[in-house]
Amino acid sequence: MKVIKIAETEKEIGKCYPVMAELRQHFQDENDFLIQIKRQMKNDKFQLVFLEKNGVKAVAGIRIGEWLARGKYLEIEDLVAQSDERSKGFGGELFDWIVDYAKRENCREVKLVSHVNRYGAHKFYLNKGMIIDAHFFSIEL
């Protein structure tokens, strides 16, 4: 049976670690990941969402926020499917669930930032109907 849900317990967060670690390789171990996720959940309204079917197949980090310019939005901070399960639709199903969740939460849009060299991810998001409508600027401190 396939389930998509928001991780609420340490056990659920821990189950997401191996998949998320494929994208975010800087985590030393599951405990390091758990500490970071719990901090972001507490301080930043971060939520970890996962698709599970005989194990976790895809994971996303999301948060809901609001800007003066465009109103309430859901931001996808991370979205990754298990490497040996890619191109099986799990990432797409998780993305669609997130969009539906944003609608239920009365968000006006779903947005995300994707590094300029992640061409496969760009193709995925464009195929999902997203558009490139802004430039993201940063400065390292």
Side-chain angles (χ1 to χ4, degrees):
M1 185 169 118
K2 190 181 325 175
V3 175
I4 298 176
K5 64 179 292 193
I6 296 170
E8 297 177 351
T9 67
E10 287 187 10
K11 182 178 179 180
E12 289 173 336
I13 295 167
K15 290 192 307 187
C16 295
Y17 170 71
V19 177
M20 185 63 81
E22 292 184 28
L23 179 64
R24 303 294 178 221
Q25 299 172 358
H26 62 279
F27 289 107
Q28 301 295 316
D29 55 32
E30 185 177 318
N31 188 58
D32 186 36
F33 177 71
L34 180 63
I35 290 168
Q36 176 84 26
I37 295 299
K38 287 173 66 176
R39 183 173 59 246
Q40 285 184 219
M41 288 170 73
K42 179 183 175 194
N43 297 337
D44 301 322
K45 300 180 184 176
F46 181 85
Q47 295 175 297
L48 197 61
V49 182
F50 64 97
L51 183 152
E52 187 171 31
K53 181 181 179 185
N54 299 321
V56 173
K57 305 296 185 195
V59 178
I62 62 173
R63 74 181 79 233
I64 293 176
E66 194 165 10
W67 283 1
L68 289 174
R70 294 176 78 156
K72 191 174 179 182
Y73 65 91
L74 183 147
E75 181 175 8
I76 299 173
E77 185 173 312
D78 307 283
L79 177 61
V80 60
Q82 185 180 349
S83 59
D84 60 352
E85 297 285 354
R86 292 193 182 131
S87 299
K88 295 182 180 178
F90 296 122
E93 286 184 64
L94 186 56
F95 180 90
D96 294 343
W97 185 94
I98 291 167
V99 170
D100 288 340
Y101 178 71
K103 289 176 185 175
R104 290 191 306 272
E105 293 294 317
N106 297 312
C107 295
R108 295 187 62 206
E109 65 183 342
V110 172
K111 61 174 67 186
L112 61 89
V113 174
S114 182
H115 196 276
V116 295
N117 66 359
R118 297 196 63 228
Y119 306 113
H122 302 165
K123 182 179 177 184
F124 172 84
Y125 296 127
L126 291 168
N127 286 338
K128 283 296 192 179
M130 297 192 90
I131 61 169
I132 301 169
D133 73 340
H135 291 280
F136 177 83
F137 296 92
S138 66
I139 186 168
E140 193 167 323
L141 305 176

